[in-house]
Amino acid sequence: MSADMPMDPAAAAAAAAAANAFQNFVREDFALFAVGLAVTITRTFARVKQVGFKGLQGDDYLVWLAMLIYAAETALAYSVGAVAMGLANNGMTDEQRRTLDPNSPEFRTRVTGCKIQLSGWSTYSALLWTLKFSVLVFYIRLTTGLGRDFRRRIRIGFALLGSTYIAATLNLFLGCRPFYKYWQINPDPGDGCQPAVSTRIVWVYASLNIISDLYLLSIPIPMLWNTTLALPKKIGLIILFSGGVFIIVCALIRAVLIVTDPIGGAQTAGSWAVRETFVAVITTNLPMVFPLISAWLKPIISSLARSLRSGSYEKSADGKFRRSIVTFGGGARNGQNREARAPRTANPLTGLTFTESEERMLSQGQVRLQDLQAAGSPNNSATAAGSGDDGGDGIRKNVEIAVTSVQHDENPQSPANFAFATGPITKSPSTRLPH
C-alpha cells in the first residue's frame, strides 16, 4: 500500500475526533490549573491580610507545595495526549503485541505512555494527600480550645493519612514485579501491570482516597452541628466544609470510567485526574477564601438592600399610589428631595420632629398639638415684635413645655435630643389644626 494512498474515511474520522477531543482537554487542563492557582493566591492574600506573613501556618505553606505538584500533574496529563498520543501497553490483542516491532515509533510511544501513567499516579496521590494534610493542619487551628477529643481525632487523622498514603504508594510500586513489566508490551503483562487501566491500582487508590476523605469530614461536621448557630448558618458552614463529598464523587466516576474503557482508559485517566485534583484544590482553599469574598460583597449587597427598602408610596396625578424608589445617591422621583417637598397640609408644623412615643404622649391630652409651634418660626418673631399690642384676632400665650420620651421605638432616641420649647405662641382661629 502506498504511503500516499488516502486514509480510510472511518479511520480519518476517528483520528479527527481524537484530535478534537485532545484539544478540548488541553484547554480544560490549563484552564482548571489557572483557576486553582488564582484561588490559592486569593487564599494566601486573605491569610496575609488577616495574620501577616509571620502569622502564616503550616497549611498555608502546604497548599503551595500542593500547587507545585499540581503543576507537574497538569504537565503530565497534557503529555498523555501530546507525547504518548493516549497510548500505553493496554488495549492490544495478543496478535498486535506479537507483530509490533520493538524498534517502531509506536512501540516507543507506548513505552513512554506507560511511564507517563506511572508518574501521573505518583503525582496524583502526592497532590491529594498533601492537600489532606493541609486540611488537618487547618483543623488544629479550628479546634483550638475545644478539648482533647478533637485533638485526639486530629492525631488519628494524621496517622490515617500517613498510613493510607504509604499503602497507595506501595500498591503502585510493588504491585507489579519485576517493575519493568509496567511498560512491557509483549507478552501481555496482565491487568496488574497496565498502569493506565489497572483495576488494582484504580480501586486501591479510590478506596483509600474515599476512606481518608470521609474521616476528614467526620471532624468538623459534628462540631458545627452542635454549635448554637442559627440553622441556616449551621447548614451553610457544614456545606462549606463538606467539599470532600465532591472529591469522593469524582474519584468514583474516574474509577468506573477507567475500568469500563480499556481502550481509551489512558486518556480518560489523565482527564479525570485533573478534574478530581482541581476539585480538591478548590475545596481545600474555600474555607479561607469565602470570608474574604463575603467581605468584598457585603457592602454591595447591603447598599442594594437599603436602596430597595428606601422606597415610599406616593399618590400620583391619577389618584393611584405608586412606590417611589430612592436610588444610590439620588433623591425622590422627579428630582425632588424628600425634605424639600411642599408640605402636605395647609398649616404645617415645621422644625418639629416627633417620635411615636412623643405623639402618643401628646395625643393623650398632656399637650395639644394645636397649641404647639416651633420656636424661632416667623409667627414667633412677629409676636415677639408686637408683644405690647393686645389687638388682633390672635390669642397670645406664653407656654413652657417639657417634652420627655417613652422608649417605644425600635431605634429609641436619647432624651438628650429633646430640648425645652419656650416662647410666645400665637394661635389664630383661622390657622387652627383640626382636633
Side-chain angles (χ1 to χ4, degrees), residues 250-405:
C250 288
L252 289 174
I253 293 174
R254 178 174 185 249
V256 171
L257 290 178
I258 291 175
V259 172
T260 56
D261 184 12
I263 304 300
Q267 189 66 54
T268 305
S271 301
W272 278 95
V274 169
R275 292 165 189 158
E276 182 183 351
T277 49
F278 167 75
V279 173
V281 169
I282 298 300
T283 54
T284 300
N285 290 311
L286 193 58
M288 270 63 70
V289 172
F290 183 79
L292 179 65
I293 296 177
S294 178
W296 285 346
L297 295 179
K298 187 175 181 180
I300 300 175
I301 296 174
S302 299
S303 297
L304 181 61
R306 286 196 302 269
S307 176
L308 293 176
R309 288 197 303 265
S310 63
S312 62
Y313 289 93
E314 294 183 350
K315 190 173 183 180
S316 60
D318 58 2
K320 297 180 180 180
F321 285 90
R322 291 188 174 88
R323 188 172 179 84
S324 174
I325 302 296
V326 179
T327 58
F328 296 106
R333 191 172 46 189
N334 301 329
Q336 292 182 347
N337 185 285
R338 191 179 298 273
E339 292 158 355
R341 263 188 218 140
R344 298 178 185 270
T345 63
N347 303 284
L349 292 174
T350 60
L352 290 175
T353 300
F354 296 101
T355 64
E356 179 186 354
S357 56
E358 290 176 293
E359 290 177 350
R360 185 180 297 111
M361 179 189 71
L362 295 174
S363 65
Q364 291 173 352
Q366 298 180 27
V367 179
R368 293 169 57 190
L369 286 173
Q370 297 95 313
D371 297 337
L372 261 182
Q373 183 171 311
S377 66
N379 286 343
N380 278 358
S381 302
T383 306
S387 59
D389 187 6
D390 293 336
D393 295 333
I395 300 175
R396 176 178 173 276
K397 59 170 65 176
N398 293 324
V399 181
E400 179 172 339
I401 304 167
V403 182
T404 59
S405 65

Side-chain angles (χ1 to χ4, degrees), residues 50-121:
Q50 181 183 17
V51 300
F53 283 103
K54 294 183 178 180
L56 296 179
Q57 301 295 320
D59 56 313
D60 302 310
Y61 297 106
L62 283 173
V63 292
W64 281 106
L65 174 60
M67 287 307 299
L68 293 177
I69 303 173
Y70 189 20
E73 185 204 47
T74 302
L76 288 169
Y78 170 77
S79 300
V80 169
V83 177
M85 308 301 176
L87 300 175
N89 62 352
N90 59 288
M92 302 177 68
T93 65
D94 291 338
E95 180 64 22
Q96 289 172 329
R97 293 179 186 277
R98 282 194 302 268
T99 58
L100 184 61
D101 184 3
N103 297 318
S104 65
E106 181 182 345
F107 189 95
R108 291 193 294 269
T109 300
R110 287 184 177 275
V111 170
T112 301
C114 294
K115 294 177 179 179
I116 292 175
Q117 291 293 332
L118 284 172
S119 301
W121 280 112

Side-chain angles (χ1 to χ4, degrees), residues 128-428:
L128 286 183
W129 266 260
T130 300
L131 291 172
K132 295 175 195 288
F133 276 110
S134 173
V135 171
L136 268 186
V137 175
F138 167 63
Y139 285 169
I140 294 177
R141 295 203 314 272
L142 188 67
T143 59
T144 299
L146 294 182
R148 296 181 179 179
D149 181 58
F150 287 102
R151 293 285 181 175
R152 180 172 52 82
R153 293 186 191 181
I154 292 174
R155 286 194 293 268
I156 294 174
F158 278 114
L160 178 64
L161 290 185
S163 60
T164 51
Y165 178 72
I166 292 173
T169 303
L170 293 178
N171 169 67
L172 179 64
F173 288 99
L174 299 181
C176 177
R177 307 303 300 171
F179 191 71
Y180 66 82
K181 292 183 70 175
Y182 266 129
W183 52 84
Q184 177 177 296
I185 305 297
N186 185 45
D188 186 351
D191 174 79
C193 293
Q194 296 177 10
V197 295
S198 172
T199 54
R200 172 183 52 80
I201 296 176
V202 170
W203 287 116
V204 168
Y205 267 79
S207 59
L208 295 176
N209 189 17
I210 292 172
I211 290 172
S212 56
D213 281 334
L214 288 175
Y215 186 82
L216 291 179
L217 290 174
S218 71
I219 296 177
I221 290 181
M223 176 186 66
L224 293 172
W225 185 254
N226 292 326
T227 61
T228 58
L229 294 172
L231 184 60
K233 289 185 177 181
K234 188 182 298 186
I235 294 176
L237 286 173
I238 289 175
I239 293 174
L240 183 65
F241 283 90
S242 299
V245 174
F246 299 100
I247 303 175
I248 292 171
V249 171
C250 288
L252 289 174
I253 293 174
R254 178 174 185 249
V256 171
L257 290 178
I258 291 175
V259 172
T260 56
D261 184 12
I263 304 300
Q267 189 66 54
T268 305
S271 301
W272 278 95
V274 169
R275 292 165 189 158
E276 182 183 351
T277 49
F278 167 75
V279 173
V281 169
I282 298 300
T283 54
T284 300
N285 290 311
L286 193 58
M288 270 63 70
V289 172
F290 183 79
L292 179 65
I293 296 177
S294 178
W296 285 346
L297 295 179
K298 187 175 181 180
I300 300 175
I301 296 174
S302 299
S303 297
L304 181 61
R306 286 196 302 269
S307 176
L308 293 176
R309 288 197 303 265
S310 63
S312 62
Y313 289 93
E314 294 183 350
K315 190 173 183 180
S316 60
D318 58 2
K320 297 180 180 180
F321 285 90
R322 291 188 174 88
R323 188 172 179 84
S324 174
I325 302 296
V326 179
T327 58
F328 296 106
R333 191 172 46 189
N334 301 329
Q336 292 182 347
N337 185 285
R338 191 179 298 273
E339 292 158 355
R341 263 188 218 140
R344 298 178 185 270
T345 63
N347 303 284
L349 292 174
T350 60
L352 290 175
T353 300
F354 296 101
T355 64
E356 179 186 354
S357 56
E358 290 176 293
E359 290 177 350
R360 185 180 297 111
M361 179 189 71
L362 295 174
S363 65
Q364 291 173 352
Q366 298 180 27
V367 179
R368 293 169 57 190
L369 286 173
Q370 297 95 313
D371 297 337
L372 261 182
Q373 183 171 311
S377 66
N379 286 343
N380 278 358
S381 302
T383 306
S387 59
D389 187 6
D390 293 336
D393 295 333
I395 300 175
R396 176 178 173 276
K397 59 170 65 176
N398 293 324
V399 181
E400 179 172 339
I401 304 167
V403 182
T404 59
S405 65
V406 180
Q407 307 284 342
H408 288 291
D409 294 340
E410 289 184 2
N411 299 313
Q413 301 186 39
S414 171
N417 294 332
F418 302 105
F420 289 97
T422 59
I425 299 179
T426 302
K427 180 177 69 174
S428 174

